[in-house]
């Protein structure tokens, strides 16, 4: 067979698959799967529901059993996934539907807005400082607070911020002007009054006016009204306006107190340049017209307002009386509008709008109001003494003398009527009566206005309609009225008034004012206006955009909508301004968010109660607005309502429930210098075409509220394990200090309660990880608070995996106490807040014990949306709600082409999750691998400019301000000036955000224009930003290694905020050092190296066969080498699989597939004898056993899957008595096969009446054993499975399982344990250190054992004793380890490169492991691991060539003495002695680094006694230069 | 226990690996955990690359103390680079003692990337220690 990639041969008739995959879930499983697929040339869509990648792992402090920091391991993978050119990360994205079939799916997704552009956000954090909304921090499990704009955690990817919105708050939704009431109230609460005022002014230039006279529909919708009374939103608006205006009067009006105040208001994501045509005419200086003018002026337009009257203000001035709205208040707000640059022309009625266009106005806003009163249309309406509301009020308000007389009738029920009546009262009329034709409830006037009128002695005649004005001598004497009754509701929803026949009566009076309605005076316009008019006499406009039928003409306010509330007119003005701006820019008139509005945030009853419980809102009713007493106020036009005091306002603001989460105050928009925030975003739907789908949505931690007996949520000192994990974290809410939530005291006694939400009636499974994480948390607690007593209450200790039991023993040795008990309830001592637990001893004694802190080890449940996801995907779930696995391919779901991994497929720990993710990727690659490379495009770069060592350095230095993050502490200008003085620097400049797209372009320009040959950036940390800047250098033709970074933010300005001077000095030092080192940097290049596109698989068991078959199906050639004469390995010896099924069927299927797979060459009876080379270019010689025939195999990668074997040692009489068997022997007998050593004269298992099984038999049971115990993981489940089989064969049989540790049926295997117990299998635990005594003299073995539960000595004489034997590594594993230079565990299992990062990799690149040679495991687990190994191997094999070199070690062979130090210390086996190379002193034999295998750690260079090795990019001279420069501060 | 402030601001050069240790320094920034500004970091791919010579060079150039920060023992991203650094550090200390310099001027700390406070504490400790010892006698006179 040739060692080349074979041509893709899709089966005939089949379409080629799509070379893309969908990965659902951005936790560690999804990330790992995405990386494995992407590295193999597949385009990956990584879809995550949440805001960030990282999943639950990001929340963990450390991870068992290595205790390494979770985020340290995860963070590099996050960065890799985010930057991978083949991966597109879609956060906040939900799946909608999946159609198609394996190889070609169409997936519809909906991406929800982040409200922050991921392209523009520089993650500078300036926004969170100004956000007034605090919410519980989910990442800290509610133990801390975060802002509404936030980044879930410091290392989050995407690293950009986002806004959490629950929806539009009801107050905002109810406000015609969309005012963010929640926003300004939040700012008032923080006493940020000027900013609060600015929030209002984003919607409304009349805050003080509206704050007095608004009909405030917001208050009727306020959620707080559901608790007691709504928040006094309107009064708060007035408070803040009055307060700030008063301050300005006192201290002077600040020019631009609020950042960005006079820039475009924050609806647009960025400052767009104003359009060319920018003159706008506004007709009418009422609330609509002035508002439009104000916003247009703020957006940079030249606005002229034409007003027919001599004064501006419209109805605010000529309609609303001064006792409601003092004139100085209105004047000051109009002055503010004019201050924004609006030109006002009073006494300037506009008659012809065409003339305005002719004068050069680009757009027109018509806001002429509705000043034409509607007549009653009754006889006598024209006699003297009859007035109409609007002209009457206008006359009074313009200062004319109007005499009404003593008795006045006012007709109407709206605000004009009330204003008229109250004005009449103040003009001296003593008897003022309002006539209204319906009942009080139907009055359109604000009810509080009606009440105030009544308080002032005004009478109300309801259900009364005037029908005739009676007069004498042309002057009114009385009004004839008729009584009404209410009929059916009319179009307005109010009941229609119907006259009562014969009820006519007269009311004598001196004057009548008809105040029923008004209409616009459109007829004053010349008739050629060309605008459509409605039957109501208003302009016809689009209700959302206010566009008329004429382009460029917009109309709003009463003139378009008919008479309405003041706030509606203001809203129309703002809307008109927005539409005109968008019209003139040629943009759509509506934003995405306006087209798809957010839902209204409706808090549930439970949420409201929880907020009150948490103290997020104070519990008391609303503050009453102080008013002048009626007797004082009717005498003149003094203001009636007096306004809130500051104290009252603060108390009132505290009552807000913050329904929307984000309050839309837009402070973040103003603070964001990068213009990244856009609250107008809306969801976007997309269609993705993929060949395979991988599901990794993770798990949901059990909600302990469902177990109220454990007190979580009621008792402060009961935490979940995840909360405790956050508490342990150095970057968590307590910075790693253990502190009781009740009093902050460090706990001295901590109890861990296990199996909360696992192994109970609801959960017939074990969550697999809780025993170990509790152990870890207890050990960490000991580290954090030495001397703390940790007790773990558990049923069994499930320390079943590699290194777990040793970890458990270490915890015990450190003093962690384990108590075998299921805790079912606890109570709190109300005084101390300690928690009292009850537990029973082995002998039944009940103990009560107090603890300072209780940690609930919550189990794993399927994610909340698992069922919905399954329905969308068309896959099946198992009984527990986890994804159902395909028994033939453990990572496959019930639907072809859809794979599952991680905890969604059942509870598991991180290493197994990473393995399973790789396995799912491998399985997917077998189907879509042949399409690799079809949907990905390599990035292209311009040709690289040559930089020779002799070239004089031309260094460019960019110093970042990072908004205020650096510049707020470090004097950036000084650093730039200093950089300019450094040798070699030809360019230095300051950038606000060096990482923003425009700055990156600037850097590229500078590189080209100034011929820079070195780039230095002084900004944040290279951990996150070096790849970006290197890429920038490359895009400008500069070698990426000619780049150096100075970390003046994370390691300077952020940590020395109180010492700006020394922080600036430090920044200079760091820049000097970076510049000095950059001078000596060399361009480095990788070079392509060819590789063999084939794999060697050592071991022909299930794992080896699975790996071989998978690689072959991906299109690679495979040599499968097996030392035995047949394939199948240990699985051939098994009777039935633990998970069900016949292992021999599996073996047969695999073998058959391999035999028919032309890409696999099987070499039976062979074993490797010689090995050399490095990744991509390995050479292995295999020899036929028992002969000397050798064969050379050349391969790019190798997968080692050499398996394991049963211990079968002399312990407990195996081999000495025919009735002592192993579980494998029993397995064989149960399926009617002969075991390895067939016992003589043994009846068939169905005949056995009693069987004893003994667990945990291994080399440690031998006399004088030197080896320690380790858990073989699968023996418990195997024993239980066989016990069930025996009971099934003979229900009468007595089966006893003897053990002294635990029953470790982890995960779904727990169901077997439950079943066995139900069938009557006896589980007898004997005391530690007291082994059962076995006598083998008789026909049957006799066993003496103590039962710790019953506290009894038992004597058993079973028909058969079955030993659960440990699994040992396969024979020959030591030789193999030596040959390939593998490390082994104490037990002899091969050691992976990294338990979590690289669980199927050997440290040397290109070598992988799978199956039981790694550790004992189930067959399905071995298969999964084999698929994962194949996926890893495919990352190498799928490349045309390998890029090697760059920042790797190089040997200066003339100095090399061939001492082998480097060969020994290299962790990756990358160095060897080249026999022909000439070393120091001309002696043959010098070290050589295989660049392909070198990872650039530099340990060899550090160790080389002859200094013959240099690590490129960290060459001695480069480091020396840096040290020199760093420490040689200029004098 | 902070040393009495004798007005001397010791210049500390820190050699860190690029994994846990450098990240711990960054995390101190993220969490705004302050430490003396006289500490400046030089990063390496692994503390296994930190040569004795670099430590000596730092003193020769005027450092008052040298702090090596590595991954926790057992968690080195390159196997046991941190153990090699530890051994080399011992050797450097002997050399320093031989030329009459206090061995306490060199320290090593191990921490994971999230341990911001451990980082700040390690920096503070060596600063306090060196402050007590006074300026390095090798410091070049101005």
């Amino acid at each position: 067979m040739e060692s080349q990639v074979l041509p893709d041969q899709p089966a005939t008739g089949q379409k080629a698959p799509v070379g893309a995959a969908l990965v659902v879930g951005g936790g560690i499983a999804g990330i790992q799967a995405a990386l494995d697929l992407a590295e193999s040339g597949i385009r990956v869509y990584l879809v995550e529901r949440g805001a960030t990648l990282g999943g639950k792992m990001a929340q963990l402090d450390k991870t068992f059993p290595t205790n390494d920091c979770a985020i340290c391991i995860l963070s590099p993978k996050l960065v890799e996934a985010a930057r991978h050119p083949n991966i597109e990360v879609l956060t906040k994205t939900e799946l909608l539907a999946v159609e198609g079939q394996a190889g070609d799916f169409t997936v519809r997704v909906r991406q929800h807005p982040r409200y922050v552009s991921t392209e523009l956000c520089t993650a500078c954090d300036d926004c969170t400082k100004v956000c007034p909304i605090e919410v519980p921090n989910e990442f800290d499990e509610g133990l801390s607070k975060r802002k509404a704009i936030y980044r879930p955690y410091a290392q989050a990817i995407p690293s950009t911020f986002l806004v959490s919105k629950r929806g539009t708050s009801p107050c905002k939704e109810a406000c015609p002007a969309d005012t963010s009431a929640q926003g300004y109230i939040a700012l008032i609460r923080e006493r940020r009054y000027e900013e609060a005022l600015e929030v209002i002014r984003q919607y409304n230039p009349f805050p003080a006016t509206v704050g007095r006279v608004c009909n405030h529909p917001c208050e009727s919708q306020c959620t707080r009204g559901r608790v007691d009374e709504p928040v006094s939103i309107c009064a708060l608006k007035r408070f803040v306006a009055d307060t700030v205006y008063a301050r300005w009067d006192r201290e002077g009006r600040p020019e631009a107190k609020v950042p960005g105040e006079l820039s475009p208001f924050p609806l647009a994501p960025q400052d767009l340049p104003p359009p060319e045509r920018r003159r706008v005419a506004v007709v009418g200086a009422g609330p609509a017209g002035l508002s439009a003018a104000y916003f247009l002026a703020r957006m940079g337009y030249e606005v002229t307002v034409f007003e027919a009257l001599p004064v501006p203000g419209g109805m605010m001035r000529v309609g609303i009386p001064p006792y409601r709205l003092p004139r100085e208040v209105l004047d000051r707000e109009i002055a503010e509008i004019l201050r924004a640059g609006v030109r006002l022309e009073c006494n300037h009625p506009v008659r012809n709008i065409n003339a305005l266009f002719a004068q050069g106005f680009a757009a027109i806003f018509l806001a002429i109001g509705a000043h034409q009163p509607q007549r009653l249309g009754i006889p006598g309406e024209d006699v003297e003494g009859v007035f109409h509301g609007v002209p009457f009020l206008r006359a009074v308000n313009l200062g004319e003398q109007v005499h009404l007389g003593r008795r006045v009738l006012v007709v109407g029920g709206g605000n004009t009527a009330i204003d008229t009546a109250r004005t009449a009262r103040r003009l001296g009329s003593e008897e003022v009566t309002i006539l209204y034709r319906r009942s009080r409830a139907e009055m359109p006037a604000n009810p509080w206005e009606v009440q105030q009128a009544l308080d002032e002695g005004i009478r109300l005649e309801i259900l009364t309609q005037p029908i005739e004005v009676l007069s004498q001598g042309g002057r009114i004497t009385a009004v004839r009225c008729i009584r009404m009754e209410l009929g059916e509701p009319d179009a307005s929803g109010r009941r229609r008034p119907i006259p009562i026949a014969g009820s006519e009566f007269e009311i004598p009076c001196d004057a009548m004012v008809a105040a029923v309605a008004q209409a616009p005076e459109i007829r004053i316009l010349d008739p050629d206006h060309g605008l459509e008019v409605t039957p109501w006499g208003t302009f016809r406009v689009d209700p959302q955009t206010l566009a008329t039928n004429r382009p460029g003409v917009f109309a709003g306010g009463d003139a378009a909508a008919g008479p309405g509330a003041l706030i509606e007119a203001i809203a129309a003005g703002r809307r008109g301004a927005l539409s005109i701006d968008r019209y003139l820019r040629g943009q759509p008139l509506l934003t995405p968010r306006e087209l798809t509005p957010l839902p209204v945030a409706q808090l549930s009853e439970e949420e409201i109660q929880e907020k009150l419980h948490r103290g997020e809102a104070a519990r008391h009713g609303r503050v009453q607005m102080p008013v002048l007493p009626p007797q004082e106020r009717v005498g003149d036009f003094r203001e009636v309502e007096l306004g809130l005091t500051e104290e009252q306002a603060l108390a009132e603001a505290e009552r807000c429930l913050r329904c929307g989460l984000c309050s839309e105050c837009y402070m973040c928009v103003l603070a964001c210098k990068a213009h990244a925030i856009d609250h107008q975003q809306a969801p976007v739907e997309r269609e993705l075409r993929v060949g395979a789908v991988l599901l990794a949505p993770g798990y949901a931690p059990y909600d302990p509220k469902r177990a109220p007996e454990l007190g979580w949520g009621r008792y402060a000192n009961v935490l979940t394990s995840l909360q405790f994990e956050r508490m342990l974290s150095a970057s968590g809410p307590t910075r790693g200090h253990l502190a009781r939530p009740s009093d902050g005291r460090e706990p001295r006694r901590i109890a861990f309660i296990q199996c909360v939400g696992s192994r109970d009636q609801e959960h017939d499974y074990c969550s697999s990880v809780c025993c170990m994480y509790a152990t870890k948390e207890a050990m960490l607690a000991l580290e954090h608070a030495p001397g703390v007593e940790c007790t773990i209450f558990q049923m069994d200790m499930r320390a079943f995996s590699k290194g777990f039991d040793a970890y458990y023993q270490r915890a015990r040795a450190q003093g962690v106490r384990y108590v075998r008990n299921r805790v079912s309830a606890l109570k709190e001592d109300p005084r101390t807040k300690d928690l009292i637990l009850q537990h029973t001893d082995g002998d039944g004694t009940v103990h009560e014990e107090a603890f300072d802190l209780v940690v609930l080890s919550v189990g794993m449940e399927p994610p909340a949306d698992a069922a919905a996801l399954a329905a969308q995907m068309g896959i099946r779930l198992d009984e527990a709600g986890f994804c159902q696995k395909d028994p033939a391919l453990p990572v496959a779901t019930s639907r072809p082409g859809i794979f599952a991994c991680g905890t969604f497929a059942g509870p598991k720990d991180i290493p197994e999750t990473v393995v399973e993710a790789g396995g799912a990727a491998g399985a997917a690659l077998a189907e879509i691998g042949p399409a690799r490379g079809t949907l990905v495009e390599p990035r292209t770069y311009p040709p690289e400019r040559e930089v020779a060592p002799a070239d004089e350095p031309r260094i460019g230095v960019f110093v970042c301000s990072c908004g205020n993050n650096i510049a707020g502490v470090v004097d950036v200008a000084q650093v730039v000036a200093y950089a300019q003085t450094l040798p070699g620097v030809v360019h230095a400049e300051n950038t606000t955000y060096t990482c923003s797209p425009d700055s990156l372009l600037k850097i590229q320009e500078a590189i080209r224009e100034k011929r820079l040959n070195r780039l230095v950036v002084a900004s944040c940390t290279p951990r996150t930003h070096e790849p970006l800047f290197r890429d920038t250098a490359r895009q400008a033709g500069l070698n990426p290694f000619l780049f150096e970074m100075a970390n003046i933010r994370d390691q300077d300005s952020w940590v020395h905020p109180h010492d700006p001077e020394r922080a600036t000095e430090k920044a200079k030092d760091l820049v000097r050092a970076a510049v000095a080192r950059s001078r000596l940097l060399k361009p480095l290049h990788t070079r392509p190296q060819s590789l063999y596109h084939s794999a060697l698989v050592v071991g022909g068991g299930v794992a080896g066969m699975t790996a071989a078959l998978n690689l072959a199906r991906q299109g690679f050639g495979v040599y499968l080498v097996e030392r035995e004469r047949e394939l199948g390995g240990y699985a051939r010896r098994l009777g039935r699989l633990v998970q069900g099924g016949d292992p021999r069927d599996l073996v047969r299927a695999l073998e058959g597939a391999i035999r028919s797979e032309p890409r696999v060459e099987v070499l039976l009876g062979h074993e490797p004898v010689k090995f050399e080379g490095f990744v991509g270019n390995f050479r292995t010689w295999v020899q036929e056993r028992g002969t000397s025939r050798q064969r050379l195999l050349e391969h790019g990668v190798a997968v080692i899957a050499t398996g394991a074997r049963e211990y079968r040692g002399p312990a407990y009489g195996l081999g000495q008595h025919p009735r002592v068997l192993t579980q494998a022997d029993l397995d064989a007998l149960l399926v009617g096969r002969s075991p390895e050593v067939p016992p003589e004269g043994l009846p068939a298992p169905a005949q056995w009446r009693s069987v004893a099984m003994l667990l945990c038999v291994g080399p440690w049971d031998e006399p004088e054993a030197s080896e320690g115990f380790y858990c073989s993981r699968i023996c418990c489940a195997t024993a239980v499975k066989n016990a069930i089989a025996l009971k099934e064969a003979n229900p009468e049989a007595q089966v006893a399982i003897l053990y002294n540790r635990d029953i470790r049926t982890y995960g779904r295997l727990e169901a077997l344990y439950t079943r066995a117990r139900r069938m009557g299998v006896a589980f007898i635990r004997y005391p530690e250190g007291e082994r059962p005594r076995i006598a083998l003299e008789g026909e049957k073995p006799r066993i003496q054992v103590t039962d710790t539960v019953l506290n009894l000595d038992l004597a058993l004489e079973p028909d058969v004793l079955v030993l659960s034997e440990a699994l040992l590594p396969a024979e020959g594993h030591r030789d193999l380890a030596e040959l390939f230079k593998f490390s082994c565990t104490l037990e002899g299992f091969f050691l992976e490169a990294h338990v979590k990062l690289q669980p199927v990799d050997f440290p040397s690149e290109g070598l992988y492991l799978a199956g039981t040679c790694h550790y004992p495991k189930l067959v399905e687990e071995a298969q999964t691991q084999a698929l994962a190994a194949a996926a890893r191997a495919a990352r190498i094999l799928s490349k045309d060539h390998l890029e090697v070199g760059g920042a790797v070690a190089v040997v200066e062979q003339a100095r090399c003495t061939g001492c082998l130090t480097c060969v020994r210390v290299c962790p990756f086996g990358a160095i060897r002695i080249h026999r022909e190379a000439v070393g120091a002193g001309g002696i043959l034999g010098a070290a050589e680094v295989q660049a392909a295998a070198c990872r650039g750690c530099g340990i060899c260079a550090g160790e080389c006694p002859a200094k013959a090795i240099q690590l490129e990019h960290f060459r001695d001279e480069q480091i020396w230069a840096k040290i020199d420069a760093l420490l040689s501060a200029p004098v | 226990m902070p040393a009495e402030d004798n007005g001397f601001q010791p210049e500390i050069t820190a050699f860190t690996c690029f994994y846990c240790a450098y990240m711990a320094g960054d995390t101190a920034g993220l969490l705004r955990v302050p430490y003396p500004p006289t500490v400046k970091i030089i990063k390496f791919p692994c503390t296994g690359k930190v040569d004795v010579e670099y430590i000596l060079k730092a003193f020769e150039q005027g450092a008052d103390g040298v702090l090596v920060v590595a991954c926790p023992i057992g968690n080195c991203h390159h196997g046991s680079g941190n153990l090699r650094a530890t051994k080399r550090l011992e050797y450097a200390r002997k050399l320093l003692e031989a030329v009459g310099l206090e061995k306490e001027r060199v320290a090593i700390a191990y921490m994971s990337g999230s341990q911001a406070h451990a980082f700040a504490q390690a920096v503070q400790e060596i600063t306090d220690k060196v402050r007590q010892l006074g300026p390095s006698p090798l410091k070049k006179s101005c």
Side-chain angles (χ1 to χ4, degrees), chain A residues 1021 1023 1069 1503 1507 1516, chain B residues 26 39-40 51 53-54 88:
Chain A
T1021 170
R1023 281 190 317 109
D1069 291 345
E1503 289 285 321
K1507 288 258 136 214
D1516 283 338
Chain B
D26 284 347
V39 170
K40 287 144 211 168
D51 209 311
E53 233 172 293
Y54 302 156
R88 251 178 260 148

Side-chain angles (χ1 to χ4, degrees), chain A residues 68 72 730 735 1021-1023 1047 1050-1051 1054-1056 1062 1066 1069 1467 1497 1503 1507 1516 1519-1520 1524 1527, chain B residues 9 22 26 29 32-35 37 39-41 44 51 53-54 57-58 61 75 78 84 88 113-114 117:
Chain A
D68 39 16
C72 296
R735 297 172 159 184
T1021 170
R1023 281 190 317 109
N1047 186 339
D1050 303 42
Q1051 298 181 357
W1054 274 356
V1055 281
H1056 315 309
R1062 288 208 292 164
K1066 179 169 174 178
D1069 291 345
C1497 68
E1503 289 285 321
K1507 288 258 136 214
D1516 283 338
I1519 293 166
W1520 289 336
D1524 285 0
L1527 291 159
Chain B
Q9 305 287 355
Y22 195 85
D26 284 347
R32 313 294 195 272
V33 183
Y35 54 81
V39 170
K40 287 144 211 168
I41 290 179
F44 292 86
D51 209 311
E53 233 172 293
Y54 302 156
K57 184 89 174 171
Q61 291 300 320
N75 293 156
H78 303 103
R84 302 197 175 277
R88 251 178 260 148
S114 63
H117 292 269

Side-chain angles (χ1 to χ4, degrees), chain A residues 693-698 861-863 866-867 869-870 873-886 889-895 898-908 916 1308:
Chain A
V693 176
L694 280 76
L695 302 178
E861 287 191 335
L869 181 69
M873 289 287 156
I875 58 163
R876 278 195 289 277
L877 301 179
D878 67 17
E879 320 82 71
F882 293 103
C883 183
Q884 192 179 85
K885 297 177 184 181
D886 179 345
L889 194 64
V891 293
T893 67
S894 57
R895 180 169 173 186
I898 300 186
F899 305 90
C901 57
T903 46
F904 178 52
K908 55 180 67 69
E916 203 171 48
R1308 304 306 315 277

